[in-house]
Amino acid sequence: MDTLVQLLPLIAMFAIFYFLLIRPQQKRQKAVQSMQSNLQKNDRVVTIGGLHGIIDSIDEDKVVIKCGDGSRLTFDRNAVREVRHD
């Protein structure tokens, strides 16, 4: 019984860390993976480097983004940070 009382704060601390840190991070990671797998042509995107553009073509692991001046740049699919809906 005494060891259970000593372990209770440790178990509570692990539970708090899980619900406040680990679980939200896993949810964000799943949302980003879902967004990156559902990319489509003509989506307005922002890359992790801050480049804004429109997807011109998509491959399994690469996207070609058309910039404002008409140039086309190739990025890894993982480099897309968000899809803009404006």
Side-chain angles (χ1 to χ4, degrees):
M1 182 72 177
D2 192 35
T3 56
L4 181 64
V5 172
Q6 290 177 349
L7 288 177
L8 192 61
L10 187 61
I11 293 170
M13 190 170 33
F14 279 122
I16 290 170
F17 274 115
Y18 177 76
F19 285 109
L20 293 180
L21 298 173
I22 297 170
R23 190 166 178 232
Q25 178 63 29
Q26 288 175 342
K27 287 177 105 177
R28 279 192 297 270
Q29 192 173 19
K30 284 181 184 179
V32 167
Q33 287 175 346
S34 173
M35 179 270 304
Q36 289 174 346
S37 66
N38 293 326
L39 291 174
Q40 297 177 351
K41 187 175 178 177
N42 295 325
D43 280 348
R44 292 182 173 275
V45 296
V46 180
T47 66
I48 56 175
L51 178 83
H52 293 247
I54 299 172
I55 294 180
D56 191 46
S57 65
I58 301 175
D59 195 358
E60 283 183 29
D61 57 344
K62 302 224 185 277
V63 294
V64 177
I65 298 177
K66 189 166 117 178
C67 301
D69 63 351
S71 61
R72 289 172 171 78
L73 303 170
T74 304
F75 287 90
D76 286 339
R77 201 179 261 243
N78 296 336
V80 176
R81 181 179 68 195
E82 65 179 297
V83 176
R84 305 290 294 227
H85 299 288
D86 43 290

